[in-house]
Amino acid sequence: MMAKQLCFSIVSTALLACAPLVACAQDAKKETLIVANETGPNMLDIQGVGANRPAYGVAWLAYDRLMTYGKKKLPNGTVSYDYSKLEPELAESWQVAKDGMSVTFKLNKGAKFHDGTPVTAKDVKWSYDRALAMGGFPTFQMKAGSLEKTEQFEAVDDHTFRVTFLRKDKMTLPDMAVPVASIYNSTLAQKNATKEDPWAANWLKNNTAGGGAYKVASYKPGQEIVYERFDEWKGGPLPKIKRIIQREVPSAGNRRALLAKGDIDMTYEMPPKDFAEMSLEKGNVKVASVPIENSMWYVGMLSNKPPFDNVKVRQAVAYALPYDKIMQSALYGRAVPLFGAKKPVTGTEWPTSTSYATDVSKAKALMKEAGKEAGFETTLSFDLGQGTVSEPMAILIQESLAQINIKVTINKVPGANWRAALLKKDMPLIVNRFGGWLNYPEYFYFWTYHGQNAVFNTMSYQNAELDKLVESARFEGDSKKYAQSVKGFIDISYRDVPRIPVAQPMMDVAMQKNVQGYTYWFHLQPDYRQISKQ
């Protein structure tokens, strides 16, 4: 009898000892999010020239902006950012001057960087000055909101920062809430700067100097990035997820299997076919889908060099593309068609469809008119980081263009190198996906069509009339004149067709059903600050 009592006592004690451990393990699992995606950040510095899209996510989590955007619920129930509403993040408040020519921000006095250094207005000015000095994408992004000169930025005192406007531009304030306008710890960065590298660009590629909701705990390029919550963050409600492990798993099949087994909590950048299937399956996985604003899959042609400097050749390619096959076999219907419009552009809705549709006979006739009936050879390049869609698109395009005697060689560019390859503007034919952060058609055109200086004018297209209309739309206050300008530059671009719109993509994210709080953002990176696990 005593032996039985002793045994029961030992078991009971063991169970009591284990209970807190089990609860602790369950809590740790709820507070840890494991994500797998195709490609990770190629650097940790959003202002670094050549930073890829996953680097936007690093900036969003590890750094703050003065402001952020509000939220709204879409008809399908998904939560989205609201580009029409700005809310405080690092700044507690702001006031636009009565004459509308400046804005003054009051910073949160309790805000700190990850190393404990208080955030001051001099850090904000240094960060804005740096964005302008870095060149390329970050500089152009600032200029998209008329933030063009360091003299515009003033640290009035430790917690007051003022921006003087060069002109009244509706994009100025929204532009200060995008990832490029992240605020850096200037003291820490300057400690790691050199005479040759005054903005610490080399050091910041692999290190962060932020004060955002999460710290980068470890970064292994090509493998994984790990974030840990910054418990002293003052920019919003403290996130419920304490630790994020974001792993690079290039194989979409492997990611889907890991999700099905419950080994990961979330994945994105999957083939549309997988999302189409998972959205119909019954199980522990759910799919959130949102059409990506201001975005398109397109075929671009280098318009300043033969053979694509001939508008009839470009139009021939536009009529030769196998649009329906691309929608079915590459996109699996998970996109909005941007071709085959029966009516001309009439309003400011964007993106909008072209009138082009597959018509090989018309394409051949245009090739003949261009003096290219015998055809030519060219290279079609695409980003392997988006290969789940762009590779089947490229193969279908290769087959279709062969019908009009264009012999295509496919060039697969590694994802880490794609941005740099684009900026060289020397690829004759590309398949690409581009989206503009600020949801205005003139913003898209400012980035992609405006003169040869536009960073993402990868087609090196130039049209003075289009440039004038884009500039007019950017600063026009009259709604009728604005609509006329928008219609004008869309009509010109679709006539000259240096880039051929194919489809507006979907942002698809697959996650375990116990993952809550997913929010769609214009930069397309998951915002883990709102996510929780039930």
Side-chain angles (χ1 to χ4, degrees), residues 39 51 129 139 191 193 246 294 359 397 418 427 454 514 529:
T39 306
D129 288 353
T139 300
K191 284 180 181 178
Q246 187 170 305
N294 215 3
D359 188 333
I397 292 167
W418 179 248
M427 294 183 287
N514 69 332
R529 299 175 303 177

Side-chain angles (χ1 to χ4, degrees), residues 317-328:
V317 173
Y319 280 114
L321 291 187
Y323 298 101
D324 290 330
K325 289 182 179 179
I326 289 172
M327 288 294 297
Q328 294 166 8

Side-chain angles (χ1 to χ4, degrees), residues 172-233:
T172 298
L173 287 177
D175 202 31
M176 288 188 270
V178 303
V180 162
S182 293
I183 309 307
Y184 290 67
N185 182 337
S186 61
T187 302
L188 177 60
Q190 287 173 314
K191 284 180 181 178
N192 293 280
T194 65
K195 185 178 180 180
E196 296 75 23
D197 182 18
W199 298 105
N202 290 327
W203 185 77
L204 284 165
K205 282 183 179 179
N206 298 297
N207 299 274
T208 55
Y214 287 95
K215 299 180 285 187
V216 174
S218 69
Y219 171 51
K220 299 175 183 177
Q223 298 180 47
E224 72 173 22
I225 184 168
V226 178
Y227 300 94
E228 291 181 354
R229 191 177 70 189
F230 179 43
D231 289 343
E232 295 184 68
W233 186 55

